[in-house]
Amino acid sequence: MKNIFFLFAIFFFFRYAFAQQAPSRYQPVKTIKGDFIDFNIDNLGNIYAFNSENQLKKLNAKGDSLGVYNEVRRFGKVYSVDASNPLRVILFYRDFGTIVILDRFLNIRATINLRNLNIFQVRAVCQAYDNGIWVYDEQEAKLKKITEDGVVASQSGDFRIFMETVPMPATMTDQDKLVYLYDPDKGLFTFDYFGSLKNKVALKGWKDFQVIDGRAFGRKDNNIVQYMPGSLDLKEEPAPTLLAGIRKLQISRNYLYCLRNGMIEIYSIKND
């Protein structure tokens, strides 16, 4: 009898131990060493990484340098980067209310001072489908689209008129004719291009929010989470070892990227 209990104990121990490991569908491919503090990826697999001196480097998947942007401190500290379009990288300097647009070689293509447009309170900007830029004006509670020339091309109505609670988004994404605003405290808000609310879901507490092929991804606690907007399809994948101590997570169709201890780890994804 003791042997049976011992065998059961061993079985459950190893079952628990394996459950704590990174899911086997994530296989390590490469680690890019450095003193990186933040990064982003584009849809070609290029990596845009900031080092401890706030220098921006563009790297390919092998870690080879493709370009360097040294004027990062010109407007203070970069608050966010949108590299979803590899031909057009957007840097947002929140403290100075300034957007800098870079070309694929990381040369400055345009600079926009939001304060000149009477937009003073912004935390989220992103690429727009037509080479414009979406800006969420928190002071007016409006979604605005501006051009590279610094002109407000369109704007929504005041969200406070038809919404009980307006978002204070940490991030924003344009994809498939929808604009996704993610507020970690209130959840996910989805709007059409006219600023009409299409959906609201209380997905709270996510970090590193992304939208890929219409599906939302992120991490929460020790889980990789994903959700299909407009459905009840919410999945949580435990990955405590993979996510332990990471500073940032990014996901593409075929790869997963982790920033840990100043290094960027790349994993291939085996899709089920």
Side-chain angles (χ1 to χ4, degrees):
M1 182 64 72
K2 290 183 178 180
N3 289 336
I4 294 176
F5 281 119
F6 177 75
L7 291 174
F8 270 109
I10 291 295
F11 170 77
F12 284 111
F13 170 79
F14 281 105
R15 181 179 179 183
Y16 175 80
F18 286 130
Q20 302 307 302
Q21 302 303 311
S24 59
R25 72 191 194 96
Y26 301 106
Q27 296 297 320
V29 173
K30 185 176 181 61
T31 296
I32 301 175
K33 296 182 179 180
D35 60 341
F36 303 118
I37 60 174
D38 197 6
F39 78 103
N40 211 310
I41 58 174
D42 65 23
N43 56 18
L44 298 179
N46 298 314
I47 302 168
Y48 302 79
F50 288 95
N51 62 21
S52 58
E53 297 180 352
N54 268 330
Q55 181 187 60
L56 174 62
K57 295 183 178 181
K58 181 179 179 180
L59 311 169
N60 63 19
K62 296 180 180 180
D64 301 325
S65 178
L66 300 177
V68 177
Y69 175 66
N70 287 308
E71 297 186 60
V72 175
R73 293 184 180 274
R74 180 178 175 184
F75 300 102
K77 186 177 180 180
V78 174
Y79 183 74
S80 67
V81 180
D82 186 338
S84 55
N85 181 351
L87 302 179
R88 186 170 175 266
V89 180
I90 294 177
L91 307 182
F92 175 46
Y93 296 84
R94 181 184 176 187
D95 292 341
F96 281 76
T98 300
I99 294 172
V100 175
I101 303 172
L102 308 179
D103 64 19
R104 64 190 180 97
F105 301 109
L106 302 188
N107 298 312
I108 295 179
R109 175 168 158 173
T111 301
I112 303 170
N113 187 329
L114 296 177
R115 294 172 182 174
N116 292 339
L117 303 177
N118 294 318
I119 302 175
F120 301 102
Q121 193 170 333
V122 174
R123 276 190 294 182
V125 305
C126 74
Q127 308 260 9
Y129 66 98
D130 58 356
N131 285 331
I133 301 171
W134 290 112
V135 174
Y136 181 65
D137 186 337
E138 295 181 359
Q139 191 171 34
E140 296 187 6
K142 292 181 179 180
L143 186 61
K144 299 180 178 181
K145 188 171 66 175
I146 60 179
T147 67
E148 285 193 8
D149 299 328
V151 176
V152 178
S154 63
Q155 60 183 308
S156 70
D158 188 331
F159 290 164
R160 292 168 296 189
I161 296 175
F162 59 90
M163 296 172 62
E164 292 183 3
T165 303
V166 298
M168 302 287 279
T171 186
M172 188 162 59
T173 303
D174 178 336
Q175 192 178 111
D176 300 326
K177 299 182 180 181
L178 294 172
V179 184
Y180 300 85
L181 278 66
Y182 182 69
D183 182 332
D185 296 322
K186 299 183 181 73
L188 175 62
F189 296 75
T190 306
F191 298 87
D192 63 20
Y193 287 158
F194 301 101
S196 299
L197 180 66
K198 306 297 291 185
N199 195 19
K200 175 187 174 184
V201 185
L203 301 175
K204 300 179 181 180
W206 287 25
K207 297 179 180 179
D208 305 325
F209 179 86
Q210 293 177 257
V211 178
I212 304 171
D213 296 333
R215 182 177 290 271
F217 289 85
R219 64 182 170 107
K220 183 177 182 182
D221 301 324
N222 288 322
N223 300 315
I224 297 173
V225 288
Q226 57 176 297
Y227 170 72
M228 177 60 75
S231 74
L232 298 176
D233 185 9
L234 174 63
K235 298 178 181 179
E236 296 188 2
E237 180 180 21
T241 302
L242 181 66
L243 300 181
I246 73 168
R247 184 164 183 167
K248 187 171 184 178
L249 174 77
Q250 290 277 276
I251 298 175
S252 68
R253 291 184 179 90
N254 300 308
Y255 294 94
L256 179 144
Y257 304 77
C258 294
L259 175 59
R260 189 188 340 251
N261 298 326
M263 298 180 289
I264 298 173
E265 302 169 358
I266 305 175
Y267 298 81
S268 63
I269 301 175
K270 181 181 179 182
N271 294 311
D272 300 330

